[in-house]
Amino acid sequence: MEVTDVTTFEESTAKRSFVVFWQKLSWVISHSIWKAFFKVYIPNEEVFHHRPLLIVSNHQGVTDPWPLTITLPFRLFSLLTPIRFLASREPNHVVLRNIYRFITKPLVYNPNGVIELPPRRYDGVLSIEDKTKSTTGRLRKGEVVIVFPEGHANHQRTVSPFKRGVPFIAKQIKATTGTPLSILPVAIDWKEGFIHWSPEVVQIPAELSDKEEETAAWLHEKVEALFHQGRT
């Protein structure tokens, strides 16, 4: 099967400026609404200054990127913009596919500069390099990206095991830029109504740099610890 144009993420200066404007406008319109639903714990504001910065969160629903970011104070939110997040591209179901094409993509993905993941039908065709190409590209440009390593929305009272995409991305960033990737863990819980940010960024230890599964488990422990801290 030939796969074309499923991992590219080219963007003009004008489009990038529009994404920044749209995200800031979204903050102005909806910050107070999201804040009514979530208590936000930010132990250390300095963590948001690191670049390249990959925010790693558990995943409870498709709207997670908005409360995670728009509940931040405007000075921190502005510091992060444009904030990129990953989302699935073209669902397989015909109804969902039409919703994606005529509503989700033009009204949500495009104005927010979303990084679209390849459709799931390509899972057995594309390599992990192909799947993470756009994410590593944005990080190399000094942007902030949010990822949900569980790989699916988890509505249970736990954090599912993490996939190995983040360790692979970190290794690619280190190899191509010489700079360790700064990773900022965060946990969100819709039922309890909290967002708990880590007090520090982490970088993958040298002894784990070539062990993607162990690194994924290491990151999982950090997010899971924040998840349980927020509930206590």
Side-chain angles (χ1 to χ4, degrees):
M1 181 189 299
E2 181 181 1
V3 181
T4 59
D5 192 32
V6 295
T7 59
T8 57
F9 189 73
E10 299 300 325
E11 184 178 72
S12 67
T13 301
K15 173 63 185 300
R16 185 181 187 277
S17 297
F18 177 79
V19 169
V20 172
F21 165 77
W22 184 266
Q23 290 184 350
K24 290 183 177 180
L25 178 62
S26 299
W27 187 97
V28 171
I29 293 172
S30 61
H31 173 73
S32 59
I33 299 173
W34 286 116
K35 280 286 288 181
F37 290 96
F38 291 94
K39 293 180 180 179
V40 183
Y41 302 91
I42 306 175
N44 178 15
E45 294 188 0
E46 293 301 315
V47 296
F48 298 99
H49 291 263
H50 290 259
R51 299 292 184 277
L53 183 63
L54 185 68
I55 296 174
V56 174
S57 175
N58 63 309
H59 194 20
Q60 293 196 333
V62 294
T63 58
D64 285 346
W66 283 273
L68 282 172
T69 56
I70 292 180
T71 55
L72 292 171
F74 188 72
R75 66 184 181 279
L76 296 179
F77 182 81
S78 297
L79 180 68
L80 298 180
T81 55
I83 305 166
R84 311 294 184 175
F85 61 91
L86 281 65
S88 299
R89 179 181 183 179
E90 279 200 28
N92 290 327
H93 192 281
V94 63
V95 174
L96 296 178
R97 190 181 307 134
N98 284 324
I99 292 174
Y100 162 84
R101 289 176 178 173
F102 298 109
I103 298 177
T104 308
K105 183 175 177 64
L107 300 181
V108 180
Y109 286 7
N110 287 346
N112 281 288
V114 169
I115 300 174
E116 294 187 63
L117 294 171
R120 291 189 180 278
R121 62 180 176 273
Y122 295 140
D123 279 356
V125 180
L126 295 177
S127 65
I128 191 170
E129 291 90 345
D130 293 325
K131 293 179 180 180
T132 58
K133 180 179 178 181
S134 294
T135 302
T136 54
R138 305 321 297 183
L139 290 168
R140 280 197 294 266
K141 291 184 177 183
E143 295 188 355
V144 177
V145 180
I146 301 175
V147 296
F148 303 96
E150 289 172 283
H152 60 86
N154 177 12
H155 304 293
Q156 306 302 316
R157 309 300 296 155
T158 59
V159 180
S160 297
F162 283 2
K163 298 183 182 298
R164 62 188 185 98
V166 172
F168 181 84
I169 290 169
K171 188 161 56 177
Q172 291 292 103
I173 294 297
K174 177 68 174 179
T176 57
T177 68
T179 303
L181 178 63
S182 294
I183 301 171
L184 178 57
V186 61
I188 183 171
D189 190 326
W190 283 80
K191 185 174 182 179
E192 299 294 333
F194 72 79
I195 296 170
H196 200 302
W197 292 90
S198 171
E200 60 182 2
V201 297
V202 298
Q203 295 174 346
I204 295 175
E207 62 270 20
L208 293 178
S209 60
D210 293 322
K211 301 176 181 178
E212 293 176 358
E213 291 186 4
E214 288 89 340
T215 303
W218 175 76
L219 287 170
H220 175 271
E221 288 179 1
K222 295 188 175 300
V223 173
E224 189 173 46
L226 292 171
F227 183 76
H228 291 301
Q229 287 174 24
R231 298 179 62 194
T232 59

